Structure formats: structure tokens, C-alpha cells
PDB file of all heavy atoms in Angstrom:
ATOM      1  N   THR A   1      28.193  15.357  64.285  1.00 48.00           N
ATOM      2  CA  THR A   1      28.016  16.493  63.493  1.00 48.00           C
ATOM      3  C   THR A   1      27.664  16.013  62.058  1.00 48.00           C
ATOM      4  O   THR A   1      28.011  14.911  61.675  1.00 48.00           O
ATOM      5  CB  THR A   1      29.242  17.420  63.382  1.00 48.00           C
ATOM      6  OG1 THR A   1      30.300  16.603  62.775  1.00 48.00           O
ATOM      7  CG2 THR A   1      29.635  17.919  64.768  1.00 48.00           C
ATOM      8  N   LYS A   2      26.981  16.808  61.339  1.00 47.00           N
ATOM      9  CA  LYS A   2      26.608  16.472  59.999  1.00 47.00           C
ATOM     10  C   LYS A   2      27.895  16.285  59.135  1.00 47.00           C
ATOM     11  O   LYS A   2      27.991  15.447  58.272  1.00 47.00           O
ATOM     12  CB  LYS A   2      25.709  17.525  59.334  1.00 47.00           C
ATOM     13  CG  LYS A   2      24.322  17.544  59.968  1.00 47.00           C
ATOM     14  CD  LYS A   2      23.519  18.615  59.264  1.00 47.00           C
ATOM     15  CE  LYS A   2      22.089  18.671  59.867  1.00 47.00           C
ATOM     16  NZ  LYS A   2      21.275  19.743  59.322  1.00 47.00           N
ATOM     17  N   GLN A   3      28.826  17.119  59.446  1.00 47.00           N
ATOM     18  CA  GLN A   3      30.082  17.085  58.704  1.00 47.00           C
ATOM     19  C   GLN A   3      30.857  15.748  58.991  1.00 47.00           C
ATOM     20  O   GLN A   3      31.435  15.167  58.102  1.00 47.00           O
ATOM     21  CB  GLN A   3      30.956  18.274  59.010  1.00 47.00           C
ATOM     22  CG  GLN A   3      30.423  19.539  58.486  1.00 47.00           C
ATOM     23  CD  GLN A   3      31.195  20.734  59.059  1.00 47.00           C
ATOM     24  OE1 GLN A   3      32.004  20.626  59.911  1.00 47.00           O
ATOM     25  NE2 GLN A   3      30.941  21.922  58.466  1.00 47.00           N
ATOM     26  N   ASP A   4      30.797  15.302  60.236  1.00 48.00           N
ATOM     27  CA  ASP A   4      31.442  14.048  60.590  1.00 48.00           C
ATOM     28  C   ASP A   4      30.654  12.846  59.986  1.00 48.00           C
ATOM     29  O   ASP A   4      31.286  11.849  59.486  1.00 48.00           O
ATOM     30  CB  ASP A   4      31.503  13.835  62.060  1.00 48.00           C
ATOM     31  CG  ASP A   4      32.526  14.805  62.736  1.00 48.00           C
ATOM     32  OD1 ASP A   4      33.343  15.296  61.987  1.00 48.00           O
ATOM     33  OD2 ASP A   4      32.383  15.019  63.939  1.00 48.00           O
ATOM     34  N   LYS A   5      29.410  12.917  59.965  1.00 48.00           N
ATOM     35  CA  LYS A   5      28.580  11.756  59.493  1.00 48.00           C
ATOM     36  C   LYS A   5      28.685  11.550  58.044  1.00 48.00           C
ATOM     37  O   LYS A   5      28.842  10.444  57.595  1.00 48.00           O
ATOM     38  CB  LYS A   5      27.092  11.983  59.938  1.00 48.00           C
ATOM     39  CG  LYS A   5      26.293  10.787  59.958  1.00 48.00           C
ATOM     40  CD  LYS A   5      26.768   9.844  60.982  1.00 48.00           C
ATOM     41  CE  LYS A   5      25.877   8.626  61.112  1.00 48.00           C
ATOM     42  NZ  LYS A   5      26.384   7.596  61.874  1.00 48.00           N
ATOM     43  N   LEU A   6      28.623  12.618  57.210  1.00 47.00           N
ATOM     44  CA  LEU A   6      28.647  12.433  55.780  1.00 47.00           C
ATOM     45  C   LEU A   6      29.969  11.852  55.279  1.00 47.00           C
ATOM     46  O   LEU A   6      29.998  10.947  54.459  1.00 47.00           O
ATOM     47  CB  LEU A   6      28.282  13.774  55.107  1.00 47.00           C
ATOM     48  CG  LEU A   6      26.808  14.188  55.297  1.00 47.00           C
ATOM     49  CD1 LEU A   6      26.626  15.550  54.670  1.00 47.00           C
ATOM     50  CD2 LEU A   6      25.918  13.181  54.591  1.00 47.00           C
ATOM     51  N   PRO A   7      31.078  12.461  55.692  1.00 49.00           N
ATOM     52  CA  PRO A   7      32.367  11.817  55.175  1.00 49.00           C
ATOM     53  C   PRO A   7      32.565  10.363  55.568  1.00 49.00           C
ATOM     54  O   PRO A   7      33.083   9.576  54.876  1.00 49.00           O
ATOM     55  CB  PRO A   7      33.409  12.691  55.837  1.00 49.00           C
ATOM     56  CG  PRO A   7      32.788  14.018  56.057  1.00 49.00           C
ATOM     57  CD  PRO A   7      31.334  13.643  56.390  1.00 49.00           C
ATOM     58  N   THR A   8      32.008   9.981  56.762  1.00 51.00           N
ATOM     59  CA  THR A   8      32.090   8.602  57.163  1.00 51.00           C
ATOM     60  C   THR A   8      31.289   7.717  56.254  1.00 51.00           C
ATOM     61  O   THR A   8      31.759   6.666  55.802  1.00 51.00           O
ATOM     62  CB  THR A   8      31.617   8.464  58.635  1.00 51.00           C
ATOM     63  OG1 THR A   8      32.339   9.323  59.493  1.00 51.00           O
ATOM     64  CG2 THR A   8      31.672   7.025  59.119  1.00 51.00           C
ATOM     65  N   MET A   9      30.125   8.166  55.909  1.00 51.00           N
ATOM     66  CA  MET A   9      29.353   7.407  54.975  1.00 51.00           C
ATOM     67  C   MET A   9      29.961   7.406  53.630  1.00 51.00           C
ATOM     68  O   MET A   9      30.024   6.287  52.941  1.00 51.00           O
ATOM     69  CB  MET A   9      27.900   7.982  54.867  1.00 51.00           C
ATOM     70  CG  MET A   9      27.066   7.775  56.081  1.00 51.00           C
ATOM     71  SD  MET A   9      25.504   8.610  56.090  1.00 51.00           S
ATOM     72  CE  MET A   9      24.775   8.078  54.575  1.00 51.00           C
ATOM     73  N   ASN A  10      30.552   8.446  53.161  1.00 57.00           N
ATOM     74  CA  ASN A  10      31.227   8.433  51.892  1.00 57.00           C
ATOM     75  C   ASN A  10      32.466   7.574  51.953  1.00 57.00           C
ATOM     76  O   ASN A  10      32.765   6.919  50.936  1.00 57.00           O
ATOM     77  CB  ASN A  10      31.692   9.918  51.509  1.00 57.00           C
ATOM     78  CG  ASN A  10      30.498  10.727  51.050  1.00 57.00           C
ATOM     79  OD1 ASN A  10      29.507  10.187  50.677  1.00 57.00           O
ATOM     80  ND2 ASN A  10      30.634  12.046  51.123  1.00 57.00           N
ATOM     81  N   CYS A  11      33.177   7.561  53.048  1.00 58.00           N
ATOM     82  CA  CYS A  11      34.332   6.680  53.200  1.00 58.00           C
ATOM     83  C   CYS A  11      33.886   5.236  53.062  1.00 58.00           C
ATOM     84  O   CYS A  11      34.532   4.400  52.487  1.00 58.00           O
ATOM     85  CB  CYS A  11      35.074   6.912  54.519  1.00 58.00           C
ATOM     86  SG  CYS A  11      35.950   8.482  54.547  1.00 58.00           S
ATOM     87  N   ASP A  12      32.750   4.868  53.742  1.00 67.00           N
ATOM     88  CA  ASP A  12      32.256   3.522  53.668  1.00 67.00           C
ATOM     89  C   ASP A  12      31.906   3.205  52.217  1.00 67.00           C
ATOM     90  O   ASP A  12      32.262   2.140  51.717  1.00 67.00           O
ATOM     91  CB  ASP A  12      30.985   3.341  54.523  1.00 67.00           C
ATOM     92  CG  ASP A  12      31.362   3.339  55.995  1.00 67.00           C
ATOM     93  OD1 ASP A  12      32.571   3.196  56.350  1.00 67.00           O
ATOM     94  OD2 ASP A  12      30.417   3.518  56.848  1.00 67.00           O
ATOM     95  N   MET A  13      31.218   4.090  51.559  1.00 72.00           N
ATOM     96  CA  MET A  13      30.827   3.820  50.157  1.00 72.00           C
ATOM     97  C   MET A  13      32.093   3.783  49.246  1.00 72.00           C
ATOM     98  O   MET A  13      32.210   2.942  48.395  1.00 72.00           O
ATOM     99  CB  MET A  13      29.870   4.902  49.686  1.00 72.00           C
ATOM    100  CG  MET A  13      28.535   4.817  50.343  1.00 72.00           C
ATOM    101  SD  MET A  13      27.536   6.247  50.102  1.00 72.00           S
ATOM    102  CE  MET A  13      26.799   5.925  48.507  1.00 72.00           C
ATOM    103  N   ASP A  14      33.033   4.720  49.471  1.00 78.00           N
ATOM    104  CA  ASP A  14      34.256   4.740  48.727  1.00 78.00           C
ATOM    105  C   ASP A  14      35.063   3.440  49.002  1.00 78.00           C
ATOM    106  O   ASP A  14      35.616   2.842  48.077  1.00 78.00           O
ATOM    107  CB  ASP A  14      35.164   5.948  49.107  1.00 78.00           C
ATOM    108  CG  ASP A  14      34.574   7.215  48.552  1.00 78.00           C
ATOM    109  OD1 ASP A  14      33.662   7.175  47.668  1.00 78.00           O
ATOM    110  OD2 ASP A  14      34.973   8.305  49.039  1.00 78.00           O
ATOM    111  N   GLY A  15      35.087   3.035  50.241  1.00 78.00           N
ATOM    112  CA  GLY A  15      35.838   1.803  50.580  1.00 78.00           C
ATOM    113  C   GLY A  15      35.185   0.575  49.928  1.00 78.00           C
ATOM    114  O   GLY A  15      35.896  -0.277  49.460  1.00 78.00           O
ATOM    115  N   GLU A  16      33.839   0.552  49.902  1.00 86.00           N
ATOM    116  CA  GLU A  16      33.212  -0.566  49.270  1.00 86.00           C
ATOM    117  C   GLU A  16      33.417  -0.576  47.792  1.00 86.00           C
ATOM    118  O   GLU A  16      33.719  -1.605  47.172  1.00 86.00           O
ATOM    119  CB  GLU A  16      31.675  -0.495  49.577  1.00 86.00           C
ATOM    120  CG  GLU A  16      31.259  -0.818  50.986  1.00 86.00           C
ATOM    121  CD  GLU A  16      29.759  -0.672  51.204  1.00 86.00           C
ATOM    122  OE1 GLU A  16      29.043  -0.570  50.254  1.00 86.00           O
ATOM    123  OE2 GLU A  16      29.437  -0.678  52.384  1.00 86.00           O
ATOM    124  N   MET A  17      33.408   0.657  47.179  1.00 87.00           N
ATOM    125  CA  MET A  17      33.707   0.738  45.716  1.00 87.00           C
ATOM    126  C   MET A  17      35.155   0.328  45.451  1.00 87.00           C
ATOM    127  O   MET A  17      35.410  -0.323  44.481  1.00 87.00           O
ATOM    128  CB  MET A  17      33.334   2.095  45.193  1.00 87.00           C
ATOM    129  CG  MET A  17      31.863   2.347  45.199  1.00 87.00           C
ATOM    130  SD  MET A  17      31.198   3.782  44.295  1.00 87.00           S
ATOM    131  CE  MET A  17      32.315   5.057  44.598  1.00 87.00           C
ATOM    132  N   GLU A  18      36.053   0.759  46.339  1.00 88.00           N
ATOM    133  CA  GLU A  18      37.449   0.423  46.145  1.00 88.00           C
ATOM    134  C   GLU A  18      37.663  -1.101  46.246  1.00 88.00           C
ATOM    135  O   GLU A  18      38.392  -1.666  45.516  1.00 88.00           O
ATOM    136  CB  GLU A  18      38.324   1.164  47.148  1.00 88.00           C
ATOM    137  CG  GLU A  18      38.519   2.656  46.869  1.00 88.00           C
ATOM    138  CD  GLU A  18      39.357   3.357  47.923  1.00 88.00           C
ATOM    139  OE1 GLU A  18      39.940   2.684  48.777  1.00 88.00           O
ATOM    140  OE2 GLU A  18      39.383   4.573  47.893  1.00 88.00           O
ATOM    141  N   ASN A  19      36.950  -1.634  47.246  1.00 91.00           N
ATOM    142  CA  ASN A  19      37.031  -3.085  47.439  1.00 91.00           C
ATOM    143  C   ASN A  19      36.506  -3.822  46.234  1.00 91.00           C
ATOM    144  O   ASN A  19      37.067  -4.833  45.787  1.00 91.00           O
ATOM    145  CB  ASN A  19      36.305  -3.552  48.663  1.00 91.00           C
ATOM    146  CG  ASN A  19      37.036  -3.218  49.914  1.00 91.00           C
ATOM    147  OD1 ASN A  19      38.244  -2.992  49.933  1.00 91.00           O
ATOM    148  ND2 ASN A  19      36.316  -3.234  51.062  1.00 91.00           N
ATOM    149  N   GLN A  20      35.419  -3.319  45.667  1.00 92.00           N
ATOM    150  CA  GLN A  20      34.835  -3.936  44.485  1.00 92.00           C
ATOM    151  C   GLN A  20      35.744  -3.852  43.340  1.00 92.00           C
ATOM    152  O   GLN A  20      35.931  -4.772  42.568  1.00 92.00           O
ATOM    153  CB  GLN A  20      33.476  -3.338  44.159  1.00 92.00           C
ATOM    154  CG  GLN A  20      32.751  -3.983  42.971  1.00 92.00           C
ATOM    155  CD  GLN A  20      31.402  -3.350  42.722  1.00 92.00           C
ATOM    156  OE1 GLN A  20      30.979  -2.416  43.385  1.00 92.00           O
ATOM    157  NE2 GLN A  20      30.681  -3.894  41.732  1.00 92.00           N
ATOM    158  N   VAL A  21      36.375  -2.673  43.126  1.00 93.00           N
ATOM    159  CA  VAL A  21      37.295  -2.430  42.039  1.00 93.00           C
ATOM    160  C   VAL A  21      38.532  -3.362  42.236  1.00 93.00           C
ATOM    161  O   VAL A  21      38.979  -3.942  41.245  1.00 93.00           O
ATOM    162  CB  VAL A  21      37.723  -0.969  41.953  1.00 93.00           C
ATOM    163  CG1 VAL A  21      38.889  -0.787  41.036  1.00 93.00           C
ATOM    164  CG2 VAL A  21      36.565  -0.106  41.525  1.00 93.00           C
ATOM    165  N   GLU A  22      38.968  -3.427  43.442  1.00 94.00           N
ATOM    166  CA  GLU A  22      40.125  -4.332  43.740  1.00 94.00           C
ATOM    167  C   GLU A  22      39.817  -5.759  43.416  1.00 94.00           C
ATOM    168  O   GLU A  22      40.657  -6.525  42.885  1.00 94.00           O
ATOM    169  CB  GLU A  22      40.629  -4.153  45.171  1.00 94.00           C
ATOM    170  CG  GLU A  22      41.313  -2.873  45.465  1.00 94.00           C
ATOM    171  CD  GLU A  22      41.736  -2.735  46.936  1.00 94.00           C
ATOM    172  OE1 GLU A  22      41.587  -3.735  47.672  1.00 94.00           O
ATOM    173  OE2 GLU A  22      42.179  -1.646  47.309  1.00 94.00           O
ATOM    174  N   MET A  23      38.604  -6.165  43.847  1.00 95.00           N
ATOM    175  CA  MET A  23      38.205  -7.568  43.632  1.00 95.00           C
ATOM    176  C   MET A  23      38.070  -7.843  42.100  1.00 95.00           C
ATOM    177  O   MET A  23      38.513  -8.900  41.601  1.00 95.00           O
ATOM    178  CB  MET A  23      36.855  -7.889  44.297  1.00 95.00           C
ATOM    179  CG  MET A  23      36.973  -7.991  45.791  1.00 95.00           C
ATOM    180  SD  MET A  23      38.154  -9.214  46.356  1.00 95.00           S
ATOM    181  CE  MET A  23      37.292 -10.699  45.759  1.00 95.00           C
ATOM    182  N   GLU A  24      37.521  -6.896  41.356  1.00 96.00           N
ATOM    183  CA  GLU A  24      37.443  -7.050  39.903  1.00 96.00           C
ATOM    184  C   GLU A  24      38.820  -7.145  39.283  1.00 96.00           C
ATOM    185  O   GLU A  24      39.055  -7.974  38.395  1.00 96.00           O
ATOM    186  CB  GLU A  24      36.643  -5.914  39.300  1.00 96.00           C
ATOM    187  CG  GLU A  24      35.133  -6.014  39.632  1.00 96.00           C
ATOM    188  CD  GLU A  24      34.339  -4.771  39.107  1.00 96.00           C
ATOM    189  OE1 GLU A  24      34.985  -3.835  38.602  1.00 96.00           O
ATOM    190  OE2 GLU A  24      33.150  -4.739  39.346  1.00 96.00           O
ATOM    191  N   GLU A  25      39.679  -6.292  39.721  1.00 96.00           N
ATOM    192  CA  GLU A  25      41.073  -6.309  39.253  1.00 96.00           C
ATOM    193  C   GLU A  25      41.792  -7.600  39.551  1.00 96.00           C
ATOM    194  O   GLU A  25      42.460  -8.191  38.728  1.00 96.00           O
ATOM    195  CB  GLU A  25      41.860  -5.098  39.836  1.00 96.00           C
ATOM    196  CG  GLU A  25      43.247  -4.970  39.316  1.00 96.00           C
ATOM    197  CD  GLU A  25      43.384  -4.612  37.875  1.00 96.00           C
ATOM    198  OE1 GLU A  25      42.364  -4.168  37.224  1.00 96.00           O
ATOM    199  OE2 GLU A  25      44.496  -4.703  37.303  1.00 96.00           O
ATOM    200  N   LYS A  26      41.599  -8.103  40.790  1.00 97.00           N
ATOM    201  CA  LYS A  26      42.134  -9.355  41.174  1.00 97.00           C
ATOM    202  C   LYS A  26      41.615 -10.495  40.402  1.00 97.00           C
ATOM    203  O   LYS A  26      42.381 -11.352  39.865  1.00 97.00           O
ATOM    204  CB  LYS A  26      41.889  -9.657  42.650  1.00 97.00           C
ATOM    205  CG  LYS A  26      42.770  -8.854  43.605  1.00 97.00           C
ATOM    206  CD  LYS A  26      42.467  -9.150  45.046  1.00 97.00           C
ATOM    207  CE  LYS A  26      43.223  -8.347  45.998  1.00 97.00           C
ATOM    208  NZ  LYS A  26      42.924  -8.647  47.455  1.00 97.00           N
ATOM    209  N   THR A  27      40.310 -10.487  40.103  1.00 97.00           N
ATOM    210  CA  THR A  27      39.663 -11.524  39.310  1.00 97.00           C
ATOM    211  C   THR A  27      40.209 -11.532  37.857  1.00 97.00           C
ATOM    212  O   THR A  27      40.541 -12.551  37.300  1.00 97.00           O
ATOM    213  CB  THR A  27      38.153 -11.393  39.285  1.00 97.00           C
ATOM    214  OG1 THR A  27      37.700 -11.399  40.620  1.00 97.00           O
ATOM    215  CG2 THR A  27      37.514 -12.388  38.477  1.00 97.00           C
ATOM    216  N   ARG A  28      40.349 -10.336  37.328  1.00 97.00           N
ATOM    217  CA  ARG A  28      40.897 -10.175  35.983  1.00 97.00           C
ATOM    218  C   ARG A  28      42.324 -10.681  35.892  1.00 97.00           C
ATOM    219  O   ARG A  28      42.686 -11.375  34.980  1.00 97.00           O
ATOM    220  CB  ARG A  28      40.830  -8.691  35.537  1.00 97.00           C
ATOM    221  CG  ARG A  28      41.224  -8.464  34.055  1.00 97.00           C
ATOM    222  CD  ARG A  28      41.256  -6.972  33.735  1.00 97.00           C
ATOM    223  NE  ARG A  28      42.331  -6.270  34.451  1.00 97.00           N
ATOM    224  CZ  ARG A  28      43.658  -6.348  34.108  1.00 97.00           C
ATOM    225  NH1 ARG A  28      44.030  -7.067  33.111  1.00 97.00           N
ATOM    226  NH2 ARG A  28      44.543  -5.680  34.782  1.00 97.00           N
ATOM    227  N   LEU A  29      43.150 -10.294  36.891  1.00 97.00           N
ATOM    228  CA  LEU A  29      44.470 -10.768  36.906  1.00 97.00           C
ATOM    229  C   LEU A  29      44.644 -12.286  37.104  1.00 97.00           C
ATOM    230  O   LEU A  29      45.476 -12.906  36.458  1.00 97.00           O
ATOM    231  CB  LEU A  29      45.326 -10.024  37.995  1.00 97.00           C
ATOM    232  CG  LEU A  29      45.572  -8.557  37.739  1.00 97.00           C
ATOM    233  CD1 LEU A  29      46.213  -7.910  38.964  1.00 97.00           C
ATOM    234  CD2 LEU A  29      46.452  -8.373  36.545  1.00 97.00           C
ATOM    235  N   ILE A  30      43.777 -12.830  37.919  1.00 97.00           N
ATOM    236  CA  ILE A  30      43.806 -14.275  38.131  1.00 97.00           C
ATOM    237  C   ILE A  30      43.420 -15.007  36.834  1.00 97.00           C
ATOM    238  O   ILE A  30      44.090 -15.963  36.445  1.00 97.00           O
ATOM    239  CB  ILE A  30      42.843 -14.716  39.288  1.00 97.00           C
ATOM    240  CG1 ILE A  30      43.478 -14.256  40.637  1.00 97.00           C
ATOM    241  CG2 ILE A  30      42.581 -16.157  39.272  1.00 97.00           C
ATOM    242  CD1 ILE A  30      42.488 -14.367  41.795  1.00 97.00           C
TER     243      ILE A  30
END
């Protein structure tokens, strides 16, 4: 469904952005 497909893509993008933010935070803390 269109509704199923869009949130999945958003989750992937959100997950990637969260991972990038986490990596930046880890790098800063290190």
C-alpha cells in the first residue's frame, strides 16, 4: 500500500539520519 511504503522509506531515512547523528555524537565524544 502507499501508506505502508512511504513510512518504511521515511523510517529508513530517519534511521540513516539517526545513525549519522549518533556517529557524529560518538565522534565528538571520542
